[in-house]
Amino acid sequence: MHRSAPRLTRILACAAVPVMLVVAGCSSDSDGKKDADASASASPQVTKSEPTVEAAKFAELPDPCSSVAAKTVKSLVPSAKSKNGTRGKSSDSSARGSCSWNGLADKGVKGSQYRWLDVGFTRFASDQTLGSGAARAGEDFTKQVGKTEATDGAKNVKSEPVTGIGDQATKVTYDQSKADEDFRYTTIVARTGNVVVVVNYNGAGYAGSKTPTAETILKGATMAVKDAVAAVADANGSKETGASPETKTSNSPSSSATTKKSD
């Protein structure tokens, strides 16, 4: 009996060893999990953001019927039916607008001279999905030049970049016959910032009067488009002095969304 007590003590001591190891093992796993959680929470959270498109340069369009100076209209269409012009319909005047003038100057036995002038504006807003207003206007610029070059019945079509008008500009000159009369045409498509301007000017001689020269019609269209481009800047409280800072070196043909009116 005296010998059994020490033996019992040894058995209990050995039985306690696995329990202690289990407890120690659990404690170690718990500490490891806490360290991992702390490390994860300390790591920086990376968030992806889409690049912001460039803000549109112009927020407003000018009154199209006031965009060409009165003295310019008088010079180009001396016998205009309406000196104030005929305003085109638009569902959103802040995005697009147009105006036209036309008239027949009777010169008696020397015949008559007919003239038509119209100007159109299209403004493009910057859009995160569609791109910047300037880029969108550039695409439309190209389309409008191509559309003019493809005018039905146009003859002797010539296109050429023009410098000193907005950020990019292209002139398209051509001839066309209507009702047995020969017409001379010039269309100038210009982009200033996020706005596309399209000016059409044409003329013909009636009752024996000579057809106006290509140079005369080109000069008139150039006068009108310079007025119109300057009017965009004025409508937005800035001053247009030729090409704006974002002007690129290339003047690749582009286009505008205004619709050319028939003569």
Side-chain angles (χ1 to χ4, degrees):
M1 294 297 292
H2 294 290
R3 294 177 183 174
S4 62
R7 183 180 180 187
L8 180 59
T9 300
R10 288 195 300 273
I11 291 173
L12 292 175
C14 291
V17 171
V19 175
M20 292 173 67
L21 290 175
V22 171
V23 172
C26 291
S27 176
S28 176
D29 289 345
S30 177
D31 291 343
K33 187 172 184 300
K34 289 180 180 179
D35 291 343
D37 291 344
S39 176
S41 63
S43 62
Q45 298 295 317
V46 179
T47 57
K48 294 183 178 180
S49 60
E50 296 182 4
T52 302
V53 297
E54 179 185 12
K57 181 177 181 180
F58 299 119
E60 303 290 340
L61 286 180
D63 177 350
C65 290
S66 299
S67 63
V68 179
K71 64 180 181 180
T72 302
V73 173
K74 184 177 180 180
S75 172
L76 304 186
V77 191
S79 299
K81 294 178 182 178
S82 173
K83 295 181 180 179
N84 295 324
T86 301
R87 190 181 305 275
K89 294 181 179 179
S90 175
S91 59
D92 184 357
S93 60
S94 68
R96 59 184 57 82
S98 63
C99 191
S100 64
W101 299 260
N102 71 88
L104 184 68
D106 187 354
K107 295 189 176 183
V109 295
K110 293 183 179 180
S112 303
Q113 284 288 325
Y114 174 80
R115 295 290 186 272
W116 170 286
L117 170 68
D118 72 67
V119 57
F121 300 87
T122 305
R123 185 182 65 83
F124 294 86
S126 292
D127 184 278
Q128 189 67 33
T129 302
L130 300 177
S132 71
R136 296 176 65 199
E139 294 173 358
D140 189 60
F141 172 91
T142 302
K143 292 178 183 177
Q144 290 303 316
V145 172
K147 180 179 178 181
T148 303
E149 292 171 334
T151 299
D152 289 341
K155 298 176 294 184
N156 304 318
V157 180
K158 296 178 182 179
S159 296
E160 187 178 347
V162 180
T163 60
I165 300 175
D167 297 306
Q168 47 183 157
T170 293
K171 63 181 179 183
V172 182
T173 59
Y174 59 96
D175 302 328
Q176 192 174 42
S177 295
K178 294 183 179 182
D180 297 326
E181 300 294 346
D182 295 326
F183 283 74
R184 296 260 195 258
Y185 282 81
T186 291
T187 295
I188 299 181
V189 183
R191 179 184 69 84
T192 176
N194 57 308
V195 175
V196 174
V197 181
V198 178
V199 166
N200 301 300
Y201 185 50
N202 64 75
Y206 284 85
S209 183
K210 292 183 179 180
T211 302
T213 65
E215 290 74 15
T216 295
I217 299 301
L218 173 59
K219 182 179 179 180
T222 302
M223 290 171 59
V225 76
K226 286 184 175 180
D227 282 0
V229 168
V232 175
D234 290 342
N236 289 270
S238 56
K239 196 69 175 175
E240 186 71 33
T241 56
S244 70
E246 68 170 68
T247 301
K248 308 301 181 183
T249 55
S250 65
N251 275 299
S252 58
S254 295
S255 102
S256 120
T258 51
T259 302
K260 181 179 179 182
K261 296 180 178 60
S262 60
D263 295 328

